[in-house]
């Protein structure tokens, strides 16, 4: 969801006496309304185009340095990344920011590089000259992304070789959806094929904007808002995807709009106008239905809802629990970013790019073998395929809140610029996204991805010898990792997605949840006021505010190519084995039973604590010195499983969450777990449907799908804004290397590090 703050004059369609009173009141506030209108437009532009980082701590808060140390970063000696120089930080300008880059003259250097501004402009020109668009019918471009070359071509490509450039386009023209390919070399535009049986493409930013503005053209809506005691100038509305619940919702794009009061707070999410829902036709922008079933529910008060640092009482002492902390790199970063997208760090090399639907895509991930020096394939492509967020309230104003944040809203479209020193440390490299608007005009989403080295005091490996051996051995190596981060603010919720690369060959994929709860207005101010049998569907967080129970599922597409494309999926089941009488003093032990999945159905996995397994992706054509097939394993971490009925309409659309692991044969058309057209789909084009074909997957080019899950029962600590909650899973080498791949890395010594002292003692 994307939000827009609304400010409009009241419609003239009110009863005469009410109209007169409103006109007199408004005439005295005309200048204020103009100011609010200006601010609203500015905010829209800010969210949609600019998204500048918010407050940064001054560098003076971080560290002062010993004059004898030439390496310690200071306001006069700031580390500058080689590839992307931010403005020089000095006393007059103490806040480092990512360098602004126009991208106007960007040219692709790699076959997987995203479309450039020049290419997007050419796509738009070619499309508008095509007969489909030439008759002047209304149109919108819902997706314009690189149509990647076939996999074999990319694998065979070497730097300097030519490569084709094509755009894959999803367009709606005169109310019909079209899949198009634009060949940027020849200028040819061709239809890709038929659109999916149901559903609509990802909403454009313009869809979301107009959806929130359209209700204000309806006099009944205006009367209803005023009757609730909310000034239209204080209105903030959300475009809420409606899901699919039967034939009545077919044949037209529908969206539901719900509104809040932003009076006296930036956190309007905590002030819902409960029970007021507008059903809107997204194509005509006309109100289909207004439902108002919450007139007896007060709008929660604004007190204690604002979370901005600037709005805290400046007369009170700052709540500083820890001193500022920073990681210094006296010799500069260990990673480089070539040609804007090719990342090289330690023993890793991979391609990273922003994407309007997935957020960020990691491709061609390869790790260098410490013994042979060879770059070895690990993963061809990995990205966030879909997010499913169902709320557990079946009432009229809530049952439809079952969001698909990637397919409906665009996970990357909702990615906000990252905040230097807070989202990312000062050693970060920032990457921009270049996306098209609904009319095809390109714009830049600045600093939406950051790449940085992280060290949190973790240990790569260690061993200290016991004194009883007489050997004084203490060997320890620090664990430094490389992180690729993006954060999407899908209206109230913030999702932080990290791809973390470790020198031992492990890839950790981590998802953090923060932001603001979607809450429900309530007539109750205390749990003691609630009648015993009434279900609140959540937790009373504050007076008249309920945090509704909900789930989050984040499904990842992992095209594994472990030492080549032909891989197999092995379920290594850990079973109890009982000993025979007289065999051993032991009664039982554990053994590993390997089961190679022959087809897709063999590879479906529901995680069970008391039926444990390891999940290996192996290349049986490549063996280690002692004969083990090389591989990587999926290591699940804290997760949750969907408990919804399989015939529940939201779960039909989100059937990809029925299992935590799926394996399918590689198919370039099967990338989005919820289907290509997710909006109002009926669930006939999902990962679960593809898997029903039960295709062979042994010794094939396979894709692993993994779903991270969260059950969220809100608590008062989540009010008015949530502390981050995280979960992750790992892709870990298993017999991939001949031995410990980081055995030879040296330990740190005092001479390697800068000598710094706290500012108070400087």
């Amino acid at each position: 969801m994307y939000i827009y703050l609304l400010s409009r004059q009241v419609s003239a369609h009110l009863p005469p006496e009410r109209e007169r009173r409103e006109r007199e009141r408004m005439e005295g506030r005309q200048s204020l309304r103009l100011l609010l209108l200006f601010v609203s437009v500015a905010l829209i532009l800010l969210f949609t185009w600019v998204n500048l980082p918010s407050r940064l701590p001054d560098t003076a808060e971080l560290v002062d340095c010993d004059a004898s140390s030439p390496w310690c970063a200071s306001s006069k000696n700031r580390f500058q990344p080689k590839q992307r120089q931010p403005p020089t930080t000095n006393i007059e300008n103490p806040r480092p920011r990512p360098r602004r880059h126009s991208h106007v003259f960007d040219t692709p250097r790699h076959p997987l590089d995203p479309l450039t501004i020049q290419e997007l402009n050419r796509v738009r020109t070619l499309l508008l000259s095509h007969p489909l668009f030439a008759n002047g019918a209304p149109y919108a471009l819902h997706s314009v992304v690189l149509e990647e070359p076939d996999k074999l071509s990319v694998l065979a490509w070497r730097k300097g070789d030519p490569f084709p450039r094509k755009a894959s386009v999803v367009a709606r023209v005169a109310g019909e959806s079209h899949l198009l390919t634009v060949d940027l070399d020849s200028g040819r535009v061709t239809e890709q094929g038929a659109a999916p049986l149901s559903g609509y493409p990802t909403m454009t930013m313009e869809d979301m904007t107009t959806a929130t503005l359209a209700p204000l053209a309806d006099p009944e809506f205006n009367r209803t808002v005023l009757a609730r005691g909310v000034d239209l100038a204080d209105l903030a509305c959300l475009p809420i995807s409606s899901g699919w619940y039967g034939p009545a919702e077919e044949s037209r794009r529908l969206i539901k709009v719900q509104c809040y009061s932003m009076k006296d707070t930036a956190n309007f999410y905590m002030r819902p106008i409960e029970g007021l829902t507008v059903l809107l036709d997204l194509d005509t922008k006309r109100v289909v239905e207004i439902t108002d079933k919450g007139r007896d529910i007060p709008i929660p008060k604004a007190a204690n809802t604002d979370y901005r640092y600037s709005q805290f009482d400046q007369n009170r002492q700052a709540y500083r629990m820890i001193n500022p902390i920073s990681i210094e790199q006296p010799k500069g970063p260990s990673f480089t970013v070539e040609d804007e997208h090719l990342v090289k760090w330690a023993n890793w090399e991979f391609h990273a790019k922003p994407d309007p639907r997935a957020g960020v895509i990691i491709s061609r991930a390869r790790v260098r073998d410490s013994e042979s020096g060879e770059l070895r394939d690990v993963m061809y492509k990995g990205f966030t395929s879909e997010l499913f967020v169902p709320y557990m309230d079946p009432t009229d104003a809530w049952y439809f809140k079952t969001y698909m944040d990637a397919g409906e809203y665009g996970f990357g479209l909702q990615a906000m610029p990252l905040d230097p020193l807070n989202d990312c440390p000062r050693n970060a490299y920032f990457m921009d996204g270049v996306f098209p608007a609904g009319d095809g005009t390109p714009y830049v989403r600045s600093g939406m991805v950051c790449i940085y080295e992280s060290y949190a005091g973790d240990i790569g490996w260690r061993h200290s010898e016991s004194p009883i051996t007489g050997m004084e051995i203490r060997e320890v190596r620090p664990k430094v990792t490389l992180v690729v981060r993006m954060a999407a603010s899908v209206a109230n919720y913030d999702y932080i997605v990290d791809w973390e690369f470790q020198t031992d060959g492990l890839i950790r994929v981590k998802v953090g949840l923060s932001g603001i709860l979607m809450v429900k207005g309530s007539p109750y101010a205390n749990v003691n006021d609630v009648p015993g049998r009434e279900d609140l569907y959540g937790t009373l967080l504050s007076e008249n505010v309920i945090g509704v129970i909900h789930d989050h599922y984040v499904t990842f597409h992992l095209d594994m190519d472990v030492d080549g494309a032909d891989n197999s999926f092995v379920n290594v089941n850990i079973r109890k084995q009982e000993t025979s009488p007289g065999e051993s003093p032991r009664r039982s032990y554990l053994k590993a039973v390997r089961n190679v999945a022959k087809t897709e159905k063999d590879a479906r996995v529901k995680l069970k604590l008391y039926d444990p397994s390891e999940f290996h992706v192996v290349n049986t054509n490549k063996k280690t010195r002692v004969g083990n097939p090389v591989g990587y394993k999926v290591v699940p971490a804290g997760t949750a499983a969907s408990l919804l009925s399989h015939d529940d309409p939201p779960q039909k659309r989100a059937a990809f969450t029925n299992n935590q692991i799926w394996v399918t044969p590689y198919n370039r058309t099967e990338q989005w777990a919820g289907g290509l057209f997710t909006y109002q789909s009926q669930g006939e084009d999902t990962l679960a449907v593809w898997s029903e074909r039960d295709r062979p997957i042994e010794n094939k080019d396979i894709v692993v799908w993994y779903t991270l899950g969260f059950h969220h029962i809100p608590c008062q600590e989540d009010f008015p804004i949530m502390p981050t909650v995280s979960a992750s899973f790992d892709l870990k080498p298993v017999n991939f290397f001949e031995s410990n791949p980081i055995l030879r890395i040296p330990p740190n010594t005092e001479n390697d590090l800068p000598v710094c002292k706290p500012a108070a003692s400087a």
Side-chain angles (χ1 to χ4, degrees):
M1 296 171 296
Y2 210 83
I3 61 98
Y4 294 91
L5 308 183
L6 311 180
S7 175
R8 277 185 60 153
Q9 295 189 7
V10 180
S11 170
H13 298 282
L14 299 174
E17 181 61 23
R18 184 69 172 276
E19 179 184 350
R20 182 184 61 78
R21 292 199 305 268
E22 291 294 339
R23 189 185 306 113
E24 290 175 354
R25 184 171 68 88
M26 288 181 184
E27 286 174 353
R29 301 178 63 188
Q30 183 66 23
S31 61
L32 177 59
R33 292 199 179 280
L34 291 173
L35 176 61
L36 286 168
L37 181 60
F38 173 81
V39 170
S40 298
V41 173
L43 283 169
I44 291 173
L45 293 173
L46 179 64
F47 282 133
T48 309
W49 303 95
V50 183
N51 289 296
L52 292 173
S54 58
R55 177 195 179 271
L56 302 175
D58 291 340
T59 53
E61 294 178 6
L62 296 174
V63 68
D64 285 341
C65 299
D66 191 315
S68 64
S69 171
W71 299 118
C72 187
S74 70
S75 59
K76 294 182 179 180
N77 180 23
R78 176 75 59 231
F79 148 62
Q80 304 288 336
K82 294 179 181 178
Q83 268 62 46
R84 200 176 181 84
Q85 301 287 342
T88 301
T89 305
N90 51 44
I91 294 175
E92 289 74 27
N93 179 25
R95 298 179 180 181
R97 295 182 183 275
R99 178 177 64 86
R100 298 293 180 193
H101 178 41
S102 70
H103 297 280
V104 172
F105 301 108
D106 283 357
T107 57
R109 307 291 182 86
H110 188 284
L112 299 178
D113 281 356
L115 296 173
T116 66
I117 285 179
Q118 294 184 57
E119 289 176 324
L120 287 170
N121 281 326
R122 177 162 165 75
V123 168
R124 184 173 185 270
T125 299
L126 292 170
L127 286 175
L128 294 182
S129 63
H130 188 268
L132 182 64
F133 297 82
N135 61 7
Y139 77 92
L141 304 184
H142 291 256
S143 175
V144 183
V145 295
L146 175 73
E147 184 173 302
E148 296 181 358
D150 68 88
K151 190 172 181 179
L152 291 177
S153 298
V154 174
L155 292 173
W157 178 83
R158 297 295 180 265
K159 189 169 184 176
D161 292 349
F163 48 85
R165 297 294 282 178
K166 295 181 180 180
S168 178
V169 178
V170 177
R172 276 178 59 78
V173 184
E176 297 292 329
S177 298
H178 299 269
L179 308 179
L180 306 166
T181 294
V182 179
D183 190 317
L184 290 163
D185 300 321
S186 68
R188 182 180 304 166
V189 178
T190 56
E191 290 267 1
Q192 290 183 10
L197 296 176
S198 72
Y200 298 100
T202 305
M203 286 186 288
T204 65
M205 301 304 296
E206 291 80 0
D207 281 335
M208 298 178 227
T209 306
T210 56
T212 56
L213 291 168
L216 285 167
D218 188 277
E220 182 185 351
F221 173 78
N222 291 340
R223 285 193 293 267
T224 303
V225 171
L226 291 168
R228 291 291 198 98
V230 177
D231 193 318
L232 295 180
D234 294 329
L235 204 61
C237 294
L238 297 178
I240 300 175
S241 56
S242 58
W244 182 84
Y245 293 91
E249 298 174 352
E250 294 177 11
S251 303
R252 57 181 174 178
R253 287 200 307 154
L254 298 172
I255 195 165
K256 295 190 177 182
V257 178
Q258 293 183 333
C259 299
Y260 305 75
S261 171
M262 63 177 184
K263 182 176 174 58
D264 299 327
T265 182
N267 192 354
F268 56 85
Y269 303 102
M270 293 297 133
R271 307 201 68 206
I273 307 173
E274 190 58 48
L276 175 59
T277 304
V278 179
L279 181 64
L280 189 77
D281 187 308
L282 257 178
D283 289 326
T284 65
K285 306 302 184 293
R286 291 183 179 177
V287 173
V288 176
E289 181 182 52
I290 297 175
T291 305
D292 184 13
K293 296 185 178 180
R295 296 184 182 125
D296 59 335
I297 300 175
I299 296 174
K301 293 180 172 57
N304 301 317
T305 60
D306 212 321
Y307 50 85
R308 294 171 296 174
Y309 186 83
S310 62
Q311 298 304 304
F312 294 158
D313 186 353
Q314 299 302 312
N315 295 321
R316 298 178 62 184
Q317 185 176 359
Y319 193 43
R320 175 77 78 183
M321 292 190 294
I322 58 172
N323 292 327
I325 189 170
S326 178
I327 299 173
E328 306 303 328
Q329 294 188 285
K331 297 180 181 179
S334 302
F335 69 94
T336 60
V337 181
E338 296 180 0
D339 301 326
E340 300 288 336
H341 297 284
L342 185 62
V343 182
K344 295 181 178 181
W345 173 78
N347 50 349
W348 280 102
E349 180 177 307
F350 57 89
H351 186 277
K353 68 178 176 184
D355 181 82
R357 182 163 176 169
V360 64
I361 295 176
I362 304 295
S363 301
R364 299 277 0 247
R366 298 183 291 171
V367 66
R368 192 173 299 280
D369 192 301
S370 59
E371 293 194 3
S372 68
E374 174 191 4
L375 268 176
R376 300 171 64 188
D377 292 329
V378 174
M379 182 178 70
Y380 182 76
K381 190 175 183 180
F383 58 89
T384 306
S385 179
E386 191 53 86
L387 298 92
F388 175 48
V389 189
Y391 282 78
M392 305 304 170
D393 185 334
T395 59
D396 183 74
W398 280 81
Y399 74 90
F400 53 87
K401 294 181 180 179
T402 54
Y403 309 106
M404 301 272 195
D405 286 336
E408 293 178 336
Y409 294 95
F411 200 43
L413 292 179
Q414 311 305 321
M416 297 294 105
L418 296 164
D419 188 350
L421 299 189
N422 294 297
D423 275 323
C424 312
R426 68 160 55 131
N427 63 352
Y429 172 100
F430 289 85
M431 188 178 289
D432 303 336
V434 178
F435 302 146
D439 67 352
T441 303
Y443 67 92
V444 175
R445 177 74 77 209
S446 61
M448 65 169 279
V449 175
C450 74
I451 304 171
Y452 64 91
E453 287 169 289
S454 175
Y455 174 59
D458 294 326
I459 296 170
W461 64 265
R462 81 176 315 277
H463 179 65
S464 294
E465 194 55 61
S466 169
I468 63 173
T469 66
M471 295 185 291
E472 295 185 4
I473 296 176
R474 186 175 60 186
E475 291 283 331
V476 187
R477 303 294 184 269
K479 176 181 283 189
V480 179
T481 64
L482 186 76
V483 180
V484 180
R485 169 171 292 173
M486 62 83 63
S489 298
V490 192
N492 54 306
Y493 253 104
D494 289 62
Y495 295 88
I496 306 107
V497 177
D498 289 350
W499 289 83
E500 180 182 306
F501 295 83
Q502 301 187 8
T503 52
D504 60 3
L506 183 143
I507 303 173
R508 176 163 293 160
V509 185
K510 181 178 176 182
V511 176
L513 309 181
S514 189
I516 301 170
L517 292 173
M518 178 164 281
V519 302
K520 180 177 182 177
S522 168
Y524 306 117
N526 191 286
V527 292
N528 295 323
D529 302 333
V530 182
R533 293 181 178 272
E534 182 171 344
D535 191 346
L536 297 182
Y537 307 107
T539 306
L540 191 68
L541 305 178
S542 185
E543 290 79 3
N544 309 115
V545 177
I546 293 173
V548 176
I549 296 169
H550 58 283
D551 286 350
H552 300 264
Y553 300 100
V554 188
T555 298
F556 289 88
H557 173 287
L558 306 164
D559 181 2
M560 302 299 292
D561 278 7
V562 180
D563 254 352
D566 292 338
N567 291 174
S568 297
F569 182 77
V570 183
N571 186 325
V572 184
N573 189 230
I574 303 170
R575 297 181 186 174
K576 180 178 72 173
Q577 181 73 33
E578 295 184 350
T579 59
S580 302
E583 178 184 355
S584 170
R586 291 281 298 273
R587 296 290 183 90
S588 62
Y589 62 98
L590 299 183
K591 64 183 298 184
V593 179
R594 299 170 60 86
N595 298 294
V596 179
K598 304 293 185 181
T599 66
E600 291 175 272
K601 290 184 180 179
D602 293 340
R604 296 175 179 176
V605 174
K606 286 182 171 67
L607 297 175
K608 300 174 184 177
L609 185 62
Y610 285 97
D611 185 15
S613 290
E614 288 192 356
F615 309 103
H616 295 192
V617 178
V618 302
N619 188 333
T620 57
N621 304 307
K622 301 286 182 69
K623 302 289 179 62
T624 64
R625 185 180 66 252
V626 297
N628 291 311
V630 301
Y632 261 70
K633 63 181 177 180
V634 179
V635 184
T639 190
S642 177
L643 303 178
L644 296 178
S645 300
H646 285 194
D647 61 352
D648 194 355
Q651 192 63 27
K652 284 183 179 179
R653 301 175 65 229
F656 54 87
T657 64
N658 290 344
N659 300 306
Q660 286 74 57
I661 297 177
W662 309 72
V663 181
T664 60
Y666 171 79
N667 185 326
R668 63 184 298 165
T669 67
E670 297 176 0
Q671 297 195 75
W672 310 109
L676 178 63
F677 285 9
T678 306
Y679 199 91
Q680 283 181 251
S681 73
Q682 298 174 32
E684 79 286 354
D685 180 33
T686 69
L687 170 58
V689 173
W690 310 333
S691 178
E692 278 297 312
R693 301 171 190 167
D694 205 23
R695 295 163 289 187
I697 58 172
E698 184 180 12
N699 201 27
K700 302 287 185 182
D701 190 355
I702 59 176
V703 175
V704 177
W705 307 76
Y706 184 83
T707 297
L708 271 178
F710 301 79
H711 294 306
H712 191 172
I713 301 176
C715 59
Q716 285 187 244
E717 287 79 3
D718 295 332
F719 178 89
I721 193 166
M722 291 171 47
T724 301
V725 176
S726 299
S728 63
F729 68 94
D730 293 344
L731 301 173
K732 186 180 186 300
V734 55
N735 302 317
F736 186 80
F737 299 105
E738 293 290 349
S739 61
N740 182 346
I742 54 173
L743 183 65
R744 297 186 183 92
I745 66 169
N748 283 337
T749 67
E750 286 290 341
N751 293 334
D752 295 325
L753 303 173
V755 179
C756 301
K757 56 187 179 182
S761 62

